[in-house]
Amino acid sequence: KRDWAWKQAQSRRSKSPTSLKVTLEQLTRGASLDCDEAMRMEMRMAAGVMEGHDFYEGVRATIFEKGATANWKPARVEDVTPEMVAAYFEPLGARELEL
């Protein structure tokens, strides 16, 4: 069990700090949503990810440079503010699709 926990902790240290916090918020919010609301939340999150830095940085480091260290922005979980996370869940206005 300790070995598994160590591997999980190490794995998470290499991931986007923003993605880690957004995922935690997604799990928290998603627990009380119906299917339509959850899909709307997913659409908003996907739009935010595609507009941000870290998705493209992760692709660069993982695929194009085969295992290079990603330069996440921000680089530390502590530097990802609640406001930054909340932005991934905001309505998309005219860009939001009807479900």
Side-chain angles (χ1 to χ4, degrees):
K1 291 181 182 182
R2 223 183 257 178
D3 187 44
W4 179 87
W6 177 256
K7 287 180 183 175
Q8 297 308 307
Q10 289 300 104
S11 174
R12 282 171 185 58
R13 286 186 186 98
S14 70
K15 308 302 182 211
S16 161
T18 301
S19 291
L20 292 173
K21 286 188 107 172
V22 168
T23 299
L24 179 59
E25 183 67 17
Q26 173 193 23
L27 293 169
T28 302
R29 289 180 183 218
S32 63
L33 300 179
D34 66 26
C35 185
D36 285 347
E37 293 168 329
M39 296 308 296
R40 191 171 290 108
M41 179 181 70
E42 293 286 334
M43 179 179 52
R44 292 171 179 168
M45 290 172 53
V49 166
M50 297 307 292
E51 291 170 356
H53 167 270
D54 284 2
F55 174 76
Y56 299 98
E57 177 60 14
V59 169
R60 178 203 63 79
T62 305
I63 297 173
F64 292 111
E65 295 189 25
K66 305 287 186 212
T69 300
N71 298 309
W72 307 121
K73 290 183 183 177
R76 300 177 328 140
V77 170
E78 307 88 87
D79 296 331
V80 180
T81 66
E83 294 79 18
M84 293 166 81
V85 173
Y88 285 83
F89 299 90
E90 292 295 319
L92 301 174
R95 297 180 313 141
E96 190 145 317
L97 303 174
E98 291 296 321
L99 298 178

